[in-house]
């Protein structure tokens, strides 16, 4: 019998290097109050397994050394060694008994057995390391579906952490979540995420360890990639260390069910050499993990007919693959071994009969932050990744669908191919339909035509009946069975009284809308498929395209909006031909003509539909991506009027406007966007148009084009691309950038555009844009060179007198064509009025000046009146409301009114002119030589005598209009 020292050394040999170091640390820090002597670090640092066993016994004796080892095994979480050492503890003799020395022969036999055990353990450890190296070499790379020969990507670089959840929502919560996530909206009750490291951790500390974990998820959600990542991380020492000595990957698709195998054969197939040490591997089943990937692909296995088959309990025994895997899953083979099973939900019922108390985990794909991470990992350069991510994020539906890793891969692959071919990412096709077509063809086989029709009719019935969760009876009614349709349907189980109910839903709400659109395009191959049409319930006639379009935009919660979008996208001839080839189906081409007639009817309506219906029509045309069709449709839109709230709105509107040569009135309103911006520069905004309500001059070709970008949250960093695009549009006559944080840098960029010869902007609004005097030099250059700019609004910007003096340099130039200038609330004082006075004298084109809300005072007005009195002054309107004027300025006003032959409108509201000042003005206004036609005196107080004077003035001079709204 081996001595205590030899047996203890053999236990220590079972430790990995990292665990052995930890054990030394715990033995060095052993609490002295437990009655044992801690080991000195100087002696343990270089000690091997035999040395450490000897040192333990020398310092503490055999019994205490064994107790210290048992305690240390538990401390480093090696429960297997802890339990074995407690079970195999030697029987110690009473210390009072006289010591009986073993014979020399027994000592030598024990030492020989110990050396043999150490040799075996060394070989065991060496093979573990070799097996880990083999697993790393097998799983460190991943091959894309479209990879060229020999082309592979690093799994560590490509893998993005998936969202794993363990909670089970109720039926109502699941339905609400489906609807919310389909539009990219946050779900109000996000389940708690589970990390890979915690897959086998018990929920409560005292609970028994978890032995079986079932990872479920829909097709393309990332289950196989997750399984491969588990293998790589375990082999690299990052996962399940100290828990599993060996992890075996078994891909169920590759298992031949008809052939006879033993479990040893499957384990050996995972190893590099032909004769691995299987006997040593299976000695500790608790240290083994079997990863069964794709359980749902075991077609026909574990049927009820197999329940009576003999149990497979010997890992050496050859048996049919289904009996073998059944024995492993049920725990008959290698009891105590752990299982990690990945499957689609369709196979959960089959698994439930085989497993006892498994832990269920669901893969939900990528949360938003992980989608961005995936793009950064996929593209070789970060700049390309960020540009591609912005393109996808702008399309809210497509961005929501990128929660499915397979869709994310399809999108990234397409964009990367454009980058590698030297094409511009900004021009890449970004329609949701194009991505779904590729996704559909990658998951459906050509022979799956019947399933496709069933999916389409089920989806259409659900859309019309506002139904997102389906019973098995619904599937049967449409000729579907859960297993063949599992690529696009997921299964959920909900509590219903004492029982469970099983319901199905599409992977994503937009898939239901996509298949519903295909329902209207699929041609019938024969009468035999009539049974696949929806039956019962409040629904329109089968395949009634007219009913679909008639209810478009009016259906509760807007379900039909996305169905019609997909319908337009599928009507693209190239996409239709691709689907017909890939899926061996026939798509109707008569739908295109019906859609064009419908677009014409919408455009020809006397009153445009309420917003956002017209923008939705543009989304439909954008999905089609057929410029000939779009140009034909857009010929019927003489007037375009939409409000844009997101970047995708800009892209869609630009596409349709670019293909609309006959537009007469273009009105695009840019509103505040609710989309969260990224930290980095977000790129370029698209330009837009909106018609101004007030009078506007006609362009030379008779069309009135107005562009408006008011309140669009533009910043200077987003301006350059937008303004460069505007410079090439000579039809652009009005540009409103009010209420945007452009700042001086943004206006400086704008001025580069305004100085281009091709720029035809006549009216420019820059009110409340955060400007200062620093931008006035650039604006002055524009004023001195532009041959088209006639109106400029700079209201509510802190330009001050310094800014006004800088503007004067451009306003006084002979080539300046400006007629109207708004300087309302610009912080002007009397010091700036000298510059204005000289402009009135030097620029005869200058006709309208708005100075409301500036503290000019009487001295400032005196300077203005000098300019008004000059013969070359052509000013027709002067607004001086709330300018801190008193009765002392009225004499100067009277002088200017007498001399001016151009001033027609004067506004003096909210100034303290007093009764004397108003009476003085009335005397001058009575004179026949005074040409003023309108005098506004709003928010001013007069006595009864002054009111009488004003009434007399209007009676004596009916051509003069006096607007009087007194302040009470």
């Amino acid at each position: 019998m081996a001595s205590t020292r030899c047996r203890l050394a053999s236990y220590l040999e079972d430790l990995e290097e990292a665990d052995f170091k930890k054990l030394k640390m715990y033995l060095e820090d052993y609490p002295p109050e437990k009655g044992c002597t801690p080991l000195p670090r100087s002696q343990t640092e270089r000690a091997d397994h035999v040395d450490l066993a000897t040192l333990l016994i020398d310092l503490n004796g055999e019994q205490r050394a064994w107790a210290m080892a048992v305690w240390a095994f538990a401390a480093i979480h090696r429960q297997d060694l802890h339990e074995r050492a407690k079970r195999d503890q030697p029987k110690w003799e009473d210390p009072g008994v006289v010591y009986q020395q073993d014979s020399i022969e027994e000592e030598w036999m024990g030492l020989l057995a110990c050396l043999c055990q150490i040799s075996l353990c060394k070989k065991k450890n060496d093979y573990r390391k070799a097996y880990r190296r083999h697993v790393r070499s097998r799983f460190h790379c991943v091959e894309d579906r479209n990879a060229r020969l020999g082309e592979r990507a690093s799994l560590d670089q490509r893998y993005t952490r998936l969202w794993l959840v363990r909670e089970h929502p109720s039926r109502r919560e699941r339905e609400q979540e489906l609807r919310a996530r389909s539009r990219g909206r946050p779900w109000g009750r996000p389940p708690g995420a589970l990390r890979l490291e915690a897959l086998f951790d018990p929920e409560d500390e005292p609970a028994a360890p978890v032995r079986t974990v079932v990872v479920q998820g829909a097709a393309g959600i990332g289950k196989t990639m997750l399984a491969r990542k588990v293998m790589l991380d375990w082999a690299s020492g990052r996962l399940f260390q100290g828990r599993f000595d060996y992890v075996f990957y078994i891909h169920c698709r590759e298992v031949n069910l008809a052939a006879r195998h033993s479990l040893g054969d499957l384990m050996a197939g995972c190893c590099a050499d032909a004769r691995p040490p299987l006997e040593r591997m299976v000695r500790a089943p608790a240290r083994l993990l079997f990863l069964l990937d794709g359980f749902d692909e075991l077609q026909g296995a574990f049927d009820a007919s197999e329940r009576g088959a003999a149990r497979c309990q010997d890992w050496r025994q050859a048996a049919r693959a289904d009996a073998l895997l059944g024995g492993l899953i049920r725990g008959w083979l290698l009891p105590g071994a752990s299982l990690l099973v990945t499957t689609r939900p369709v196979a959960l019922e089959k698994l439930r009969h085989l497993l006892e108390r498994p832990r269920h985990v669901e893969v939900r794909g990528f949360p938003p932050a992980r989608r961005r991470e995936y793009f950064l990992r996929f593209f070789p350069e970060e700049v390309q990744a960020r540009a591609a991510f912005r393109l996808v994020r702008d399309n809210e539906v497509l961005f929501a669908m990128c929660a499915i890793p397979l869709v994310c891969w399809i999108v990234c692959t397409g964009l990367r191919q454009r980058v590698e071919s030297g094409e511009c990412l900004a021009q890449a096709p970004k329609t949701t339909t194009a991505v779904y077509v590729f996704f559909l063809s990658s998951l459906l086989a050509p022979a799956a035509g019947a399933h496709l029709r069933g999916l389409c009719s089920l989806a259409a019935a659900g859309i019309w009946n506002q139904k997102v969760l389906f019973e098995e009876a619904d599937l049967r009614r449409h000729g579907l069975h859960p297993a063949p349709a599992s690529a696009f349907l997921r299964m959920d189980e909900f509590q219903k009284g004492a029982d469970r109910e099983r319901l199905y839903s599409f992977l994503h709400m937009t898939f239901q809308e996509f298949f519903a659109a295909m329902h209207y395009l699929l041609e019938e191959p024969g009468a035999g498929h009539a049974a696949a049409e929806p039956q019962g319930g409040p629904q329109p006639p089968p395949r009634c395209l007219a009913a679909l379009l008639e209810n478009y935009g009016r259906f509760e919660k807007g379900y039909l909006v996305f169905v019609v979008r997909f319908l337009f996208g599928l009507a693209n001839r190239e996409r239709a031909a691709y689907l017909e080839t890939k899926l061996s189906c026939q798509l109707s081409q008569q739908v295109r003509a019906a859609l064009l007639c419908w677009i014409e009817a919408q455009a020809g309506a006397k009153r445009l539909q309420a917003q956002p219906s017209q923008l939705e029509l543009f989304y439909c045309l954008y999905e089609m991506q057929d410029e000939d069709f779009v140009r034909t449709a857009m010929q019927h839109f003489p007037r375009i009027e939409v409000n844009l709230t997101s970047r995708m709105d800009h892209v869609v509107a630009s596409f349709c406007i670019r293909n609309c040569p006959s537009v007469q009135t273009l009105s695009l309103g840019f509103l505040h966007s609710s989309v969260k911006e990224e930290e980095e520069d977000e790129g370029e905004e698209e330009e837009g148009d909106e018609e101004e309500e007030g009078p506007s001059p006609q362009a030379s070709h008779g069309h009135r084009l107005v562009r408006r970008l008011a309140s669009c949250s533009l910043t200077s960093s987003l301006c350059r691309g937008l303004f460069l695009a505007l410079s090439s549009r000579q039809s652009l006559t009005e540009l409103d950038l009010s209420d945007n944080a452009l700042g001086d840098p943004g206006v400086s960029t704008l001025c580069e555009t305004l100085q281009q010869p091709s720029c035809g902007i006549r009216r420019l609004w820059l009110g409340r844009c955060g400007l200062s005097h620093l931008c006035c030099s650039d604006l002055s250059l524009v004023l001195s060179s532009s041959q088209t700019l006639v109106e400029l609004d700079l209201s509510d910007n802190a330009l001050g007198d310094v800014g006004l003096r800088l503007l004067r340099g451009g306003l006084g130039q002979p080539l300046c064509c400006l007629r109207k200038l708004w300087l309302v609330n610009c912080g002007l004082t009397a010091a700036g009025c000298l510059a204005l006075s000289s402009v009135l004298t030097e620029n005869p084109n200058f006709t309208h000046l708005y100075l409301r809300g500036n503290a000019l005072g009487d001295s400032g007005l005196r300077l203005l009146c000098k300019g008004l009195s000059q013969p070359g002054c052509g000013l027709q309107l002067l607004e001086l409301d709330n300018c801190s004027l008193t009765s002392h300025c009225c004499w100067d006003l009277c002088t200017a009114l007498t001399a001016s032959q151009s001033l027609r409108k004067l506004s003096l509201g909210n100034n303290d002119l007093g009764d004397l000042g108003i009476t003085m003005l009335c005397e001058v206004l009575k004179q026949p030589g005074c040409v003023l036609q309108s005098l506004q005196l709003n928010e001013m107080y007069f006595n009864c005598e002054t009111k009488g004077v004003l009434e007399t003035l209007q009676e004596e001079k009916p051509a003069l209009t006096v607007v009087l709204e007194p302040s009470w």
Side-chain angles (χ1 to χ4, degrees):
M1 181 177 177
S3 66
T4 301
R5 183 179 60 170
C6 293
R7 293 169 65 184
L8 190 56
S10 69
Y11 276 102
L12 297 179
E13 283 284 351
D14 282 343
L15 293 172
E16 296 281 355
E17 185 177 354
D19 288 342
F20 188 56
K21 288 181 179 180
K22 286 182 185 179
L23 183 123
K24 286 181 179 181
M25 181 184 68
Y26 277 102
L27 292 176
E28 292 165 6
D29 298 336
Y30 190 87
E33 60 270 16
K34 289 183 177 287
C36 298
T37 304
L39 304 189
R41 185 178 181 186
S42 59
Q43 298 185 46
T44 62
E45 192 169 3
R46 296 188 178 180
D48 61 12
H49 307 88
V50 177
D51 295 337
L52 192 64
T54 303
L55 185 61
L56 273 169
I57 293 174
D58 289 346
L59 290 178
N60 293 281
E62 291 184 349
Q63 186 170 356
R64 290 177 179 172
W66 193 277
M68 287 179 71
V70 170
W71 172 85
F73 290 148
I76 64 172
H77 302 292
R78 285 299 302 266
Q79 291 297 123
D80 56 327
L81 292 179
H82 175 75
E83 292 170 3
R84 279 172 52 199
K86 285 179 64 177
R87 185 172 61 249
D88 299 341
Q89 179 175 309
K91 294 182 179 180
W92 314 106
E93 295 182 358
D94 191 327
V97 178
V98 178
Y99 175 70
Q100 182 177 358
Q101 185 176 6
D102 291 335
S103 66
I104 300 292
E105 184 179 357
E106 289 176 337
E107 284 286 343
W108 275 107
M109 291 296 293
L111 180 61
L112 183 62
C114 178
L115 291 174
C116 291
Q117 184 69 25
I118 291 173
S119 176
L120 288 173
C121 290
K122 183 170 176 34
K123 290 181 180 179
K124 181 178 179 182
N125 280 334
D126 288 343
Y127 191 78
R128 284 182 193 162
K129 293 177 182 178
Y131 180 70
R132 287 177 184 267
R133 284 196 300 271
H134 170 65
V135 172
R136 282 198 301 271
S137 66
R138 180 182 174 190
F139 290 95
H140 83 282
C141 284
V142 61
E143 187 172 309
D144 286 331
R145 293 172 177 235
N146 63 340
R148 295 183 289 270
L149 185 63
E151 185 180 40
R152 309 181 81 189
S154 167
L155 178 58
D156 273 335
Q157 293 177 2
R158 177 66 61 82
Y159 180 80
T160 304
R161 186 152 56 91
L162 293 161
W163 186 16
L164 308 178
V165 297
R166 202 166 51 190
E167 296 187 8
H168 301 284
S170 67
R171 173 174 178 172
R172 181 180 179 185
E173 289 170 339
R174 179 64 184 151
E175 189 169 349
Q176 290 174 345
E177 180 187 359
L178 283 171
R179 298 184 191 278
R181 292 179 65 193
S182 68
R183 301 294 169 253
R185 296 191 295 268
W187 169 228
R189 182 183 175 271
L194 181 69
R195 299 183 68 88
L196 274 180
E197 296 85 347
L199 279 179
F200 289 91
D201 290 350
E203 296 186 13
D204 300 315
E205 198 62 35
V210 176
R211 292 294 183 192
T212 305
V213 176
V214 176
V215 178
Q216 61 163 308
I221 205 69
K223 300 183 297 298
T224 293
M225 187 71 83
L226 178 71
R228 297 180 67 88
K229 180 64 172 172
V230 167
M231 295 298 299
L232 179 61
D233 282 359
W234 170 80
S236 303
R238 299 190 293 258
L239 188 66
F240 302 147
Q241 296 309 296
R243 185 186 291 271
F244 301 119
D245 290 338
Y246 294 94
V247 180
F248 300 101
Y249 177 85
I250 301 173
H251 201 312
C252 297
R253 182 188 303 166
E254 299 170 0
V255 176
N256 185 352
L257 294 178
R260 297 181 68 82
H261 311 272
S262 69
L263 182 59
D265 295 336
L266 294 182
M267 294 167 64
C270 298
C271 300
D273 35 338
R275 300 185 66 182
L278 298 178
E279 293 280 355
R280 292 204 302 269
M281 291 181 180
V282 300
R283 282 180 187 168
R287 306 287 297 170
L288 303 180
L289 171 63
F290 291 90
L291 200 163
L292 304 182
D293 186 22
F295 175 82
D296 53 281
E297 299 187 54
L298 295 173
Q299 300 294 338
F302 315 111
D303 291 335
S305 59
E306 296 292 331
R307 293 177 184 172
R311 288 189 176 190
C312 184
Q313 297 176 296
D314 186 351
W315 62 273
R316 305 177 192 83
Q317 176 186 347
R320 281 175 52 88
D322 49 0
L324 178 68
L325 293 178
L328 180 63
I329 293 172
R330 289 183 171 100
W332 300 338
L333 274 171
L334 298 181
S338 297
L339 286 177
L340 178 61
V341 184
T342 72
T343 182
R344 293 183 187 178
V346 68
L348 286 178
E349 186 66 23
K350 187 185 298 183
L351 268 173
R352 182 174 287 109
H353 295 299
L354 302 173
L355 296 172
E356 184 177 350
R357 297 191 306 275
R359 167 176 287 171
H360 285 275
V361 175
E362 183 180 359
V363 183
R364 292 286 186 89
F366 295 144
R370 299 298 172 194
R371 294 169 218 171
R372 179 173 178 271
E373 179 186 336
Y374 185 90
F375 276 73
L376 291 172
R377 290 177 178 273
F378 191 92
F379 285 84
E381 296 182 16
E382 183 177 344
V383 174
Q384 298 171 354
R386 293 186 185 279
F389 179 75
R390 284 196 294 268
L391 286 174
V392 174
R393 189 195 56 196
D394 291 343
N395 187 328
E396 296 174 5
V397 176
L398 187 55
F399 182 61
M401 272 305 301
C402 279
I404 300 175
L406 179 57
V407 174
C408 218
W409 175 81
I410 290 171
V411 172
C412 287
T413 300
L415 294 176
R416 183 171 175 176
Q417 287 173 351
R418 293 189 71 90
V419 171
E420 292 174 348
S421 63
E423 299 180 60
C424 179
L425 261 184
Q427 298 174 353
K430 304 180 291 294
T431 66
T432 313
T433 309
V435 175
Y436 280 38
V437 165
F438 195 93
F439 184 71
L440 170 67
S441 61
S442 68
L443 293 182
L444 268 182
H451 303 312
L452 176 62
R453 295 179 188 282
L455 284 168
C456 293
S457 61
L458 176 70
I463 289 294
W464 282 105
N465 298 317
Q466 303 179 48
K467 191 173 183 179
V468 296
L469 293 174
F470 304 93
E471 300 174 358
E472 286 194 28
D474 296 322
L475 271 62
R476 290 193 298 270
R477 189 179 304 120
H478 294 272
L480 286 173
H481 297 284
S486 63
F488 298 98
L489 295 178
R490 57 165 288 157
M491 184 192 73
D492 289 290
E493 287 194 342
F494 304 100
Q495 203 71 27
K496 187 177 183 181
D499 300 322
R500 294 191 304 267
E501 63 174 342
R502 188 183 309 164
L503 297 175
Y504 298 84
S505 63
F506 284 86
L507 294 185
H508 197 271
M509 183 67 203
T510 49
F511 272 119
Q512 184 173 347
E513 293 160 335
F514 178 84
F515 283 115
M518 281 200 71
H519 175 72
Y520 294 91
L521 282 161
L522 279 175
E523 292 277 17
E524 285 289 353
H529 288 277
E533 292 294 342
Q535 298 174 1
Q539 54 208 14
R543 304 186 194 279
C544 183
L545 183 61
L548 174 70
L549 297 176
E550 181 183 351
N551 287 278
Y552 163 75
R554 298 188 227 156
F555 211 78
E556 185 180 354
K557 299 184 182 178
Y559 281 4
L560 297 184
V561 167
F562 287 91
V563 176
V564 174
R565 281 193 200 178
F566 283 128
L567 186 63
F568 273 82
L570 290 167
N572 178 288
R573 287 195 176 96
E574 292 182 5
R575 288 186 201 132
Y578 176 83
L579 280 176
E580 288 177 345
T581 303
K582 286 285 185 179
L583 304 179
S584 301
C585 61
Q586 189 72 29
L587 300 182
S588 170
Q589 288 301 316
Q590 281 72 36
V591 171
R592 287 173 61 91
L595 294 177
L596 184 59
C597 292
W598 177 70
I599 285 284
E600 292 177 8
Q602 296 297 313
K606 291 184 179 180
R607 184 178 180 276
L608 292 175
Q609 292 185 4
Q611 302 295 339
S613 295
Q614 195 177 39
L615 181 60
E616 282 296 337
L617 296 179
F618 291 174
Y619 266 98
C620 294
L621 295 173
Y622 180 78
E623 282 294 322
M624 182 172 279
Q625 288 292 301
D626 185 331
E627 293 196 357
D628 291 337
F629 184 96
V630 175
R631 274 193 288 269
T632 303
M634 293 300 293
Q635 286 179 355
H636 305 281
F637 285 86
R639 174 187 176 90
I640 296 175
E641 183 177 0
V642 291
N643 290 323
L644 309 180
T645 60
S646 69
R647 295 175 185 271
M648 196 61 199
D649 289 350
H650 304 172
V651 173
V652 169
S654 297
F655 173 78
C656 292
I657 291 167
R658 188 170 62 248
N659 290 286
C660 186
S662 60
V663 61
Q664 298 178 10
T665 302
L666 185 58
S667 177
L668 290 171
F670 284 65
L671 307 177
H672 286 284
S673 174
S674 61
V675 179
K676 181 180 179 181
E677 303 293 340
E678 277 198 77
E679 294 177 1
E680 70 271 9
D681 182 13
E682 283 302 316
E684 303 173 354
E685 290 279 347
E686 297 289 334
E687 73 268 22
D689 305 52
E690 179 178 275
E691 184 189 31
E692 189 74 4
E693 293 180 0
S696 176
Q698 301 294 318
S700 59
H701 47 65
H703 292 173
R704 185 153 57 98
L705 294 179
V706 183
R707 298 276 178 103
R708 188 166 191 266
L709 293 98
S711 306
C712 57
S713 298
L714 287 175
T715 60
S716 58
S717 62
L718 304 178
C719 292
R720 184 172 300 275
L722 170 62
F723 295 153
L724 290 176
L726 296 179
S727 65
S728 62
R729 299 297 299 269
Q730 292 184 342
S731 58
L732 173 61
T733 60
E734 301 189 11
L735 179 61
D736 189 340
L737 292 169
S738 303
D739 300 294
N740 290 290
L742 294 178
D744 300 321
V747 170
S748 178
T749 305
L750 172 64
C751 289
E752 297 175 13
T753 297
L754 296 174
Q755 294 180 71
Q756 299 296 322
S758 59
C759 181
I761 293 177
R762 297 174 57 83
R763 295 166 185 82
L764 176 63
W765 285 268
L766 295 173
R768 296 163 298 284
C769 286
L771 310 182
S772 71
H773 66 279
L774 298 176
C775 71
C776 293
S777 295
D778 296 313
L779 287 171
S780 180
L781 291 175
V782 173
L783 292 171
S784 63
S785 61
S786 175
Q787 300 296 305
T788 57
L789 189 62
V790 295
E791 295 184 16
L792 176 62
D793 185 356
L794 297 172
S795 300
D796 299 295
N797 290 294
L799 305 182
D801 298 323
V802 176
L804 184 56
R805 283 194 287 269
L806 293 172
L807 288 175
R808 183 247 176 240
L811 290 169
Q813 294 299 317
L815 294 179
C816 180
C817 299
L818 196 71
R819 298 177 185 175
K820 300 179 181 181
L821 177 63
W822 282 262
L823 294 172
V824 176
N825 293 321
C826 285
L828 307 181
T829 67
C833 290
L834 181 60
L836 280 176
S837 180
S838 62
V839 169
L840 296 178
T841 303
E842 297 168 0
N843 190 343
N845 297 321
F846 204 50
T847 59
H848 292 64
L849 181 60
Y850 301 85
L851 297 172
R852 182 176 68 252
N854 291 289
L856 305 180
D858 297 334
S859 58
L861 182 58
R862 185 177 301 112
L863 294 172
L864 285 177
C865 288
K866 289 181 179 179
L868 278 170
S869 302
Q870 298 301 315
C873 177
L875 196 68
Q876 298 176 11
L877 182 149
L878 178 61
E879 186 181 87
L880 295 169
D881 299 68
N882 194 23
C883 285
S884 303
L885 306 180
T886 70
S887 60
H888 296 289
C889 73
C890 291
W891 175 257
D892 297 302
L893 273 175
C894 291
T895 303
L897 290 171
T898 303
S900 175
Q901 296 301 305
S902 61
L903 192 62
R904 297 293 187 270
K905 295 182 179 180
L906 177 63
S907 182
L908 297 170
N910 201 17
N911 285 293
D912 188 17
L913 300 182
D915 297 302
L916 180 60
I918 296 298
T919 302
M920 189 183 304
L921 285 176
C922 288
E923 291 299 324
V924 173
L925 294 173
K926 291 179 182 178
Q927 303 300 321
C930 180
V931 296
L932 194 72
Q933 296 177 356
S934 176
L935 175 64
Q936 296 194 13
L937 301 173
N938 299 326
E939 298 187 27
M940 297 176 68
Y941 175 78
F942 310 112
N943 59 28
C944 295
E945 184 177 344
T946 303
K947 291 179 184 178
V949 172
L950 289 170
E951 293 171 359
T952 302
L953 174 64
Q954 286 197 289
E955 291 175 1
E956 295 180 0
K957 198 170 185 178
L960 174 64
T961 301
V962 178
V963 179
L964 178 62
E965 293 183 6
S967 175
W968 300 105

